[in-house]
Amino acid sequence: MEIQILIGAGAAVLIVMFAVRGLRRKKKRRLREEVFFGLYVNLMETYGYYYWVVMGTASEDDPAIQEKMKTLRNMISNQSSELQNASIYQDIFDLFNKNALRPRELYKGCGELVERLGRYIEKYYPKVARRIEAMGFEAGKIVNAPGFLDWVPTSKKKW
C-alpha cells in the first residue's frame, strides 16, 4: 500500500515537472514570436523611410527623419539582440553598425533583410506569418512598404 502511494506521488511529481517544462517552452516560443513580429514590423518601417529618402521626397538631414531613424535603429538593435542564436542576427548587426553606408545601400539592405526575415518567419513561425498577412503584407514579399508609415513627404515630387 505504501509503495503504491509512493509510486503515485512520484508519477504526480513527474507529470507536474513535464507540465511546467512545457509551459516554459510555450512561453519562451511566444516571446520569441513577439520579437520576430516586432523586428519584422520595425524593419519594414525602416525600409519605408529609406524609400522616401532614396526617392528624393525626403531629406536624410530632416530632423524628424533622423529622430525616427535613430529610434527605429535602437528598437531593431534591442530586438535583434534577443535573437543572437538566429542566423539573421549577424546580418542585421552588420547592416546597422556600418556608418559609411548611404541611404540607397541601407534601403537595399533593409529590403533584403525584410524578405529574408519574412521567409524565415513563414517557415518556422506560422502564427506570426498569419499576423503579418492580416496586416496586409505577405511574409517573404515586400508590398507597399511606404504605405505602412505614419509619415508622408511634405513636398510632392513630380515624376
Side-chain angles (χ1 to χ4, degrees), residues 123-143:
K123 184 175 182 179
Y124 294 106
Y125 296 95
K127 287 181 184 177
V128 176
R130 284 193 295 272
R131 279 180 69 188
I132 292 169
E133 288 172 10
M135 292 175 60
F137 298 104
E138 294 181 33
K141 295 181 182 175
I142 297 174
V143 181

Side-chain angles (χ1 to χ4, degrees), residues 23 27 40 42-43 46 59 63 69 78 80 84 101 124 128 132 145:
L23 289 173
K27 183 178 180 180
Y40 185 86
N42 288 331
L43 276 171
T46 303
S59 171
M69 293 307 297
N78 291 339
S80 65
Q84 290 182 357
L101 292 180
Y124 294 106
V128 176
I132 292 169

Side-chain angles (χ1 to χ4, degrees), residues 37-159:
F37 178 75
L39 185 60
Y40 185 86
V41 170
N42 288 331
L43 276 171
M44 182 65 87
E45 189 169 2
T46 303
Y47 176 73
Y49 276 104
Y50 281 118
Y51 170 85
W52 290 118
V53 171
V54 168
M55 291 300 149
T57 55
S59 171
E60 186 181 15
D61 300 328
D62 183 355
I65 297 287
Q66 287 181 343
E67 181 64 31
K68 187 65 173 178
M69 293 307 297
K70 181 180 175 185
T71 302
L72 284 169
R73 280 183 172 203
N74 289 337
M75 291 170 64
I76 290 168
S77 176
N78 291 339
Q79 290 168 332
S80 65
S81 68
E82 295 180 31
L83 303 172
Q84 290 182 357
N85 296 335
S87 62
I88 199 165
Y89 166 75
Q90 190 61 45
D91 295 333
I92 292 171
F93 183 80
D94 290 344
L95 179 68
F96 287 108
N97 288 314
K98 291 180 183 174
N99 293 329
L101 292 180
R102 289 197 230 128
R104 185 173 300 279
E105 295 163 337
L106 288 166
Y107 171 71
K108 185 179 178 186
C110 278
E112 291 169 359
L113 283 174
V114 167
E115 286 184 15
R116 190 168 150 211
L117 185 61
R119 286 190 304 270
Y120 182 82
I121 288 171
E122 191 173 28
K123 184 175 182 179
Y124 294 106
Y125 296 95
K127 287 181 184 177
V128 176
R130 284 193 295 272
R131 279 180 69 188
I132 292 169
E133 288 172 10
M135 292 175 60
F137 298 104
E138 294 181 33
K141 295 181 182 175
I142 297 174
V143 181
N144 193 23
F148 188 66
L149 304 174
D150 58 352
W151 177 87
V152 293
T154 53
S155 65
K156 297 196 180 222
K157 186 172 184 175
K158 295 181 181 177
W159 302 100

